[in-house]
Amino acid sequence: MTREQRRQQLIDVARGLFADRGLDGTSVEEIAAHAEVSKPVVYEHFGGKEGLYAVVVDQEVRRLHDAIFQAISRPHADPRSLIELGTLALLDYIEEEPDGFRIISRDSSPYAPGGTFQTILSSIGSRVEGLLAAQFDRRGFDPATAPLYSQMLVGLVALAGQWWVESHNQTTMTKPQVAAHLVNLAWNGMRNLHPDPVLRVAEGPLASGDHRA
């Protein structure tokens, strides 16, 4: 193997181990044994398992980031279509890269400064923010609330996606069905938004400590 081929082999081997056991549950000895190399080879390429883990996480974050941004960057697409495309792109990644998704959604690594599931979702939310702000402004809503709504929208899809991939044995819902239900809630709920919402409990008996129905 060339040096680059060996490096990629170690990344591929470690990816599977990290997905199954996490960072703390994986040792350099196990990585070396599965790759059929000596421990010093792992240290030579990555400085240790933490360095290797950071590379694995970064690779997955970039893969997911590129897939979703490509989906929601189509020119002339209407807002609903962008929600559908972004939802399907995330569900595609969850379905096609279960090891990678398990790593970036479960583990929060101090060794990966640019890469956690939370940071990538926040980045995507920032992109959606611009789309929502334009829609809000046209409909008389306060554009300053767009960042909050964009984070809620992205978080909704991400959490539902996690539930779906972890519930394959309990649900018969297909990926298009899950996406359709997500878009149904996100789009139809947003279409009927009130421009100045208030909490009813803040004005009624619950506000004074009366919890009667």
Side-chain angles (χ1 to χ4, degrees):
M1 286 189 183
T2 65
R3 180 177 178 83
E4 188 57 37
Q5 288 172 331
R6 177 66 72 190
R7 176 182 173 85
Q8 188 58 50
Q9 181 215 17
L10 291 170
I11 292 172
D12 293 340
V13 167
R15 183 177 184 265
L17 291 172
F18 288 142
D20 289 339
R21 309 177 188 181
L23 174 63
D24 293 335
T26 303
S27 67
V28 173
E29 288 85 356
E30 289 173 312
I31 296 170
H34 279 76
E36 299 182 344
V37 299
S38 62
K39 286 171 54 180
V41 173
V42 179
Y43 288 110
E44 177 188 352
H45 282 272
F46 302 100
K49 72 170 183 178
E50 289 82 6
L52 178 51
Y53 180 79
V55 172
V56 170
V57 171
D58 183 67
Q59 187 178 79
E60 294 306 316
V61 166
R62 289 177 184 274
R63 184 175 296 163
L64 176 57
H65 181 278
D66 291 347
I68 295 179
F69 267 77
Q70 182 178 0
I72 66 174
S73 298
R74 298 191 184 185
H76 312 303
D78 61 274
R80 173 166 180 152
S81 295
L82 291 176
I83 293 174
E84 292 183 358
L85 291 167
T87 298
L88 285 170
L90 177 55
L91 294 179
D92 282 342
Y93 175 82
I94 291 172
E95 182 179 52
E96 296 167 8
E97 304 292 346
D99 284 351
F101 181 72
R102 206 173 299 127
I103 291 170
I104 62 176
S105 64
R106 179 192 61 200
D107 297 331
S108 180
S109 172
Y111 308 106
T116 65
F117 193 50
Q118 289 73 26
T119 57
I120 189 173
L121 292 181
S122 179
S123 175
I124 294 166
S126 296
R127 179 63 178 269
V128 174
E129 172 187 327
L131 300 172
L132 290 184
Q135 292 291 319
F136 279 18
D137 188 49
R138 282 196 291 269
R139 295 179 55 191
F141 287 67
D142 182 3
T145 63
L148 172 62
Y149 280 96
S150 66
Q151 295 296 327
M152 289 191 292
L153 179 60
V154 172
L156 165 71
V157 176
L159 286 175
Q162 281 185 288
W163 168 84
W164 176 64
V165 76
E166 293 170 1
S167 303
H168 272 323
N169 295 330
Q170 289 81 42
T171 180
T172 59
M173 294 181 66
T174 64
K175 179 172 58 181
Q177 287 175 326
V178 172
H181 282 288
L182 280 167
V183 174
N184 182 40
L185 174 60
W187 180 253
N188 289 321
M190 293 179 66
R191 185 179 62 181
N192 296 302
L193 287 178
H194 193 285
D196 187 24
V198 296
L199 297 177
R200 291 191 301 172
V201 295
E203 300 176 340
L206 293 178
S208 60
D210 188 343
H211 298 282
R212 292 174 297 178

